[in-house]
C-alpha cells in the first residue's frame, strides 16, 4: 500500500539551498525585541544583534534572508535608516500595530546580520510609495565601488567596501498593500523601476518581480506577458492559514490538524499551475518562481498585540514545514528560492524570545532536519501512499523527498500526517548499494505539543530506530504524526 521507489542514479536537478530561505520584516518583535537588542543590552550580542539567534540560524544553514518586508517594504524609505542612529527620523509602522519605528535597524545593521549569519541578503525595494530614483540610489549605495554620491555616503557612514547584494525585490504585494495596482500597471512599473536598478562590477543583480497571491493565475500571466525581459524571478505568496474550527496555534482538534495540512498541500497545485503558465511564456525556464512568503497563520497568542502576529508553534507547524519543503524540493527545477514567514517571533517562526530567553520551535527542528537537502541532487521518487481520511475528505498520508549530497550520501525525508496510525513504508532504492541507514524523528504524544520557555525541549528530534535496510529494500515504520529524515550510505 505505501511504497516508494527511489531512483538514486537518475537525479539531474539541484535543490537550491535558497529553497530553505527566510523572511524577516519590521513587524512586531521580529527585528526589535527579536534579532536587534542594541549594543548596550545585557543580552549577549554582537554590534546589537543577539548571539543566540545568530547561532541557532547558522545551525540550520540559513541560506538567505528577505528584508525589510512585506507590506513594510513599500512604505520604507531606506535613507531614514542610515547614518548616526540618534539622528535617524522616526516613522509610523501603519501596517503593523501603528507603532513608532525609530529606524535604528537599517541597511548597515541588516547587512551586518546577514554577514553574521553567513547568508545572502535579499532586499525588497519600495515600488509602492518611493521613487525610481530612491530605489536606484539604494542599489548604488549598497553595491557601487567607485566614486559616486551614494558610494561616498556609504563610506561616510563607516562602510568602505560595497556589500555586493545580488537579490533585489521590486516591490511587495503590489496587488494590495504595495499600492493596490492592476497587474498590467504593475508590470509597466516593474519595467521602469527594474531598469534603473543597475548591476555594478561583477555583481549581476537578480531582480524579483512581485508575483501573485496564491491562485491568482491572471497576475502571473499578465506579468509573464508584460515583462518579456529583465525579470529573473517571479514571487508567489501563499499562507495556509490555520485550523478549520479553531485558529489557535495550540488549542485545536484533529479537524483543525487535518484542514491545516490539507491547505498546506495546496502548495503543490499552486506551484504546478503557475509553472505551467510560466513554461508557456518562458519555455527555457529563465525566470525562477520564488515562493518568498509562505507558512501557517494562526490567531495571535492571547493578550498580545493583534498587529504583532505573534503565534506559538506546535508539532502541526513542523508538519506544515515538512510537507511544504517536500513540495518545493519536488519543484526545484522552476522553484529556486523560498522564504518562510517570518523567522523570529512572527507567524511561523523558527525561534521565539522572551527577554533574555529563546526557544527553538518545532518548525525550526523540521528545517534543521531538512537542511541535508540543501544544494543536493533531487532523486526521482515514485510514491504510492494511503490516504488520511477525515469524514468525506482525505489527504495523502505520506509525503517524502529524496536527495543525494556531494559526499554521495542519500537522504530521505518522510512525514506521516495521520495522527492516529503508524504507517509502514516499503522503499526500493535503485541504482546504488547502501550499507546502512540511520535517522532522526520529530514527533510527540500530542498533535498540539509545543515548546515553551519553561519547557523549551518538549518537542525536539531524537534518534530513529524504525528504519532498516536489507538488499536495497528500505523499510520504514513512520510513527503517527511524525517527520523522519534518514541518511543512507
Ligand atoms: O508576513 C506578513 C505579511 O503578509 C507581509 O507583510 C505581507 O507581504 C503579507 O501579506
Amino acid at each position: 500500500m505505501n511504497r516508494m521507489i527511489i531512483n538514486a542514479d537518475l537525479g539531474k536537478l539541484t535543490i537550491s539551498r535558497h529553497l530553505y530561505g527566510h523572511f524577516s520584516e519590521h513587524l512586531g518583535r521580529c527585528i526589535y525585541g527579536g534579532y536587534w537588542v542594541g549594543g548596550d543590552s545585557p543580552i549577549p550580542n554582537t554590534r546589537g544583534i543577539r548571539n543566540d539567534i545568530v547561532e541557532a540560524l547558522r545551525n540550520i544553514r540559513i541560506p538567505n534572508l528577505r528584508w525589510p518586508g512585506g507590506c513594510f517594504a513599500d512604505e520604507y524609505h531606506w535613507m531614514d535608516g542610515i547614518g548616526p542612529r540618534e539622528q535617524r527620523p522616526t516613522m509610523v509602522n501603519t501596517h503593523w500595530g501603528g507603532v513608532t519605528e525609530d529606524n535604528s535597524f537599517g541597511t548597515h545593521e541588516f547587512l551586518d546580520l546577514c554577514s553574521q549569519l553567513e547568508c545572502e541578503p535579499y532586499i525588497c525595494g519600495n515600488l509602492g510609495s518611493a521613487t525610481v530614483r530612491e530605489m536606484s540610489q539604494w542599489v548604488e549605495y549598497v553595491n557601487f565601488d567607485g566614486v559616486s554620491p551614494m558610494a561616498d555616503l556609504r563610506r561616510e557612514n563607516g562602510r568602505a567596501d560595497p556589500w555586493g547584494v545580488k537579490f533585489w525585490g521590486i516591490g511587495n504585494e503590489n496587488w494590495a498593500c504595495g499600492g493596490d495596482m492592476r497587474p498590467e500597471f504593475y508590470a509597466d512599473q516593474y519595467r521602469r523601476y527594474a531598469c534603473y536598478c543597475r548591476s555594478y562590477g561583477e555583481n549581476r543583480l537578480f531582480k524579483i518581480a512581485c508575483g501573485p497571491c496564491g491562485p491568482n493565475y491572471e497576475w502571473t500571466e499578465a506579468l509573464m506577458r508584460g515583462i518579456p525581459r529583465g525579470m529573473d524571478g517571479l514571487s508567489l505568496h501563499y499562507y495556509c492559514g490555520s485550523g478549520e474550527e479553531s485558529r489557535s496555534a495550540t488549542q485545536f482538534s484533529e479537524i483543525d490538524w487535518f484542514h491545516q495540512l490539507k491547505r498546506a498541500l495546496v502548495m503543490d497545485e499552486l506551484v504546478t499551475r503557475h509553472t505551467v503558465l510560466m513554461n508557456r511564456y518562458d519555455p527555457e525556464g529563465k525566470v525562477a518562481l520564488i515562493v518568498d512568503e509562505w507558512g501557517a497563520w494562526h490567531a495571535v497568542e492571547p493578550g498580545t498585540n493583534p498587529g504583532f502576529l505573534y503565534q506559538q508553534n506546535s508539532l502541526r507547524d513542523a508538519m506544515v514545514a515538512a510537507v511544504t519543503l517536500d513540495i518545493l524540493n519536488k519543484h526545484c527545477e522552476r522553484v529556486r528560492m523560498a522564504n518562510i514567514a517570518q523567522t523570529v517571533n512572527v507567524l511561523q517562526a523558527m525561534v521565539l524570545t522572551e527577554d533574555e530567553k529563546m526557544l527553538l520551535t518545532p518548525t525550526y527542528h523540521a528545517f534543521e532536519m531538512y537542511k541535508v537537502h540543501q544544494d543536493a541532487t533531487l532523486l526521482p521518487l515514485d510514491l504510492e501512499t494511503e490516504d488520511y481520511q477525515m469524514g468525506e475528505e482525505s489527504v495523502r498520508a505520506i509525503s517524502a523527498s529524496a536527495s543525494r549530497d556531494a559526499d554521495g550520501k542519500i537522504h530521505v525525508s518522510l512525514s506521516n500526517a495521520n495522527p492516529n496510525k503508524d504507517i509502514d513504508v516499503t522503499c526500493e532504492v535503485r541504482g546504488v548499494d547502501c550499507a546502512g541507514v540511520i535517522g532522526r524523528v520529530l514527533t510527540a504524544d500530542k498533535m498540539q505539543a509545543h515548546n515553551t520557555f519553561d519547557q523549551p525541549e518538549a518537542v525536539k528530534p531524537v534518534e530513529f530506530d524504525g528504519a532498516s535496510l536489507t538488499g536495497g529494500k528500505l523499510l520504514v515504520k513512520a510513527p503517527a504524526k511524525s517527520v523522519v529524515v534518514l541518511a543512507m550510505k
Side-chain angles (χ1 to χ4, degrees), residues 349-391:
M350 304 293 120
V351 305
L352 303 179
T353 64
E354 193 179 81
D355 302 322
E356 77 294 349
K357 293 187 215 149
M358 184 196 80
L359 65 79
L360 306 175
T361 64
T363 298
Y364 173 93
H365 292 304
F367 267 72
E368 191 278 316
M369 292 166 78
Y370 270 64
K371 71 184 175 190
V372 292
H373 290 310
Q374 290 190 22
D375 284 339
T377 303
L378 178 76
L379 298 179
L381 176 153
D382 288 327
L383 171 66
E384 245 179 80
T385 163
E386 66 180 63
D387 283 342
Y388 161 38
Q389 197 84 26
M390 168 71 54

Side-chain angles (χ1 to χ4, degrees), residues 23 25 27 70-71 96 172-173 237 239 293 297 342 347:
F23 164 46
E25 181 168 12
L27 194 177
C71 293
W96 307 119
N172 169 76
E173 297 196 351
H237 288 184
Y239 287 97
E293 287 188 34
W297 193 316
Q342 296 210 3
L347 297 176

Side-chain angles (χ1 to χ4, degrees), residues 89-349:
T90 61
M91 67 178 277
V92 184
N93 191 337
T94 54
H95 285 291
W96 307 119
V99 295
T100 302
E101 157 73 52
D102 72 1
N103 278 307
S104 50
F105 189 92
T107 302
H108 290 247
E109 291 78 11
F110 170 65
L111 293 167
D112 187 17
L113 168 64
C114 290
S115 91
Q116 292 187 37
L117 293 171
E118 291 185 36
C119 79
E120 289 224 36
Y122 166 11
I123 294 181
C124 185
N126 179 347
L127 175 143
S129 71
T131 59
V132 173
R133 182 181 190 193
E134 188 173 333
M135 200 186 289
S136 162
Q137 286 182 325
W138 202 1
V139 177
E140 181 187 323
Y141 185 90
V142 167
N143 284 351
F144 188 55
D145 200 11
V147 174
S148 84
M150 290 303 114
D152 292 349
L153 183 58
R154 182 190 70 230
R155 290 185 195 102
E156 255 172 56
N157 288 330
R159 172 79 189 194
D161 295 332
W163 286 278
V165 173
K166 178 179 159 87
F167 297 116
W168 290 84
I170 315 292
N172 169 76
E173 297 196 351
N174 302 91
W175 29 263
C177 64
D180 203 10
M181 299 175 189
R182 289 175 298 108
E184 295 76 17
F185 180 76
Y186 171 76
D188 285 345
Q189 292 300 310
Y190 174 89
R191 292 166 65 147
R192 192 164 152 247
Y193 278 71
C195 182
Y196 293 96
C197 291
R198 309 289 190 196
S199 292
Y200 295 107
E202 302 280 278
N203 178 33
R204 193 187 161 274
L205 300 191
F206 188 98
K207 298 175 198 171
I208 300 166
C210 157
C213 174
N216 187 347
Y217 301 107
E218 283 146 29
W219 184 277
T220 295
E221 177 131 38
L223 263 58
M224 292 304 293
R225 199 178 35 232
I227 313 175
R229 62 191 164 274
M231 170 168 71
D232 301 295
L234 174 76
S235 76
L236 164 67
H237 288 184
Y238 176 61
Y239 287 97
C240 61
S242 184
E244 182 74 354
E245 292 174 348
S246 160
R247 294 201 58 242
S248 163
T250 52
Q251 312 287 311
F252 58 85
S253 66
E254 191 183 336
I255 292 176
D256 300 308
W257 165 279
F258 174 86
H259 282 279
Q260 170 86 91
L261 293 176
K262 188 166 181 206
R263 281 194 278 266
L265 289 164
V266 168
M267 180 70 90
D268 203 357
E269 181 191 329
L270 295 174
V271 168
T272 304
R273 293 189 59 187
H274 285 293
T275 299
V276 167
L277 263 178
M278 292 173 80
N279 287 345
R280 196 179 300 156
Y281 291 88
D282 171 34
E284 289 167 31
K286 288 189 189 144
V287 182
L289 186 58
I290 310 275
V291 188
D292 61 15
E293 287 188 34
W294 68 269
W297 193 316
H298 306 300
V300 298
E301 285 306 296
T304 64
N305 186 330
F308 281 13
L309 309 186
Y310 176 73
Q311 63 189 40
Q312 249 293 358
N313 192 297
S314 73
L315 181 63
R316 179 178 59 168
D317 296 283
M319 290 292 304
V320 166
V323 302
T324 305
L325 292 171
D326 284 331
I327 293 167
L328 299 175
N329 286 346
K330 182 172 100 179
H331 290 280
C332 68
E333 186 164 15
R334 183 64 82 164
V335 184
R336 295 175 216 142
M337 188 193 284
N339 307 74
I340 188 172
Q342 296 210 3
T343 331
V344 183
N345 291 332
V346 170
L347 297 176
Q348 192 173 346

Side-chain angles (χ1 to χ4, degrees), residues 1-4 383-387 421 423-426:
M1 183 70 196
N2 298 288
R3 275 188 292 256
M4 231 166 26
L383 171 66
E384 245 179 80
T385 163
E386 66 180 63
D387 283 342
K421 186 182 168 200
I423 294 180
D424 290 332
V425 183
T426 318

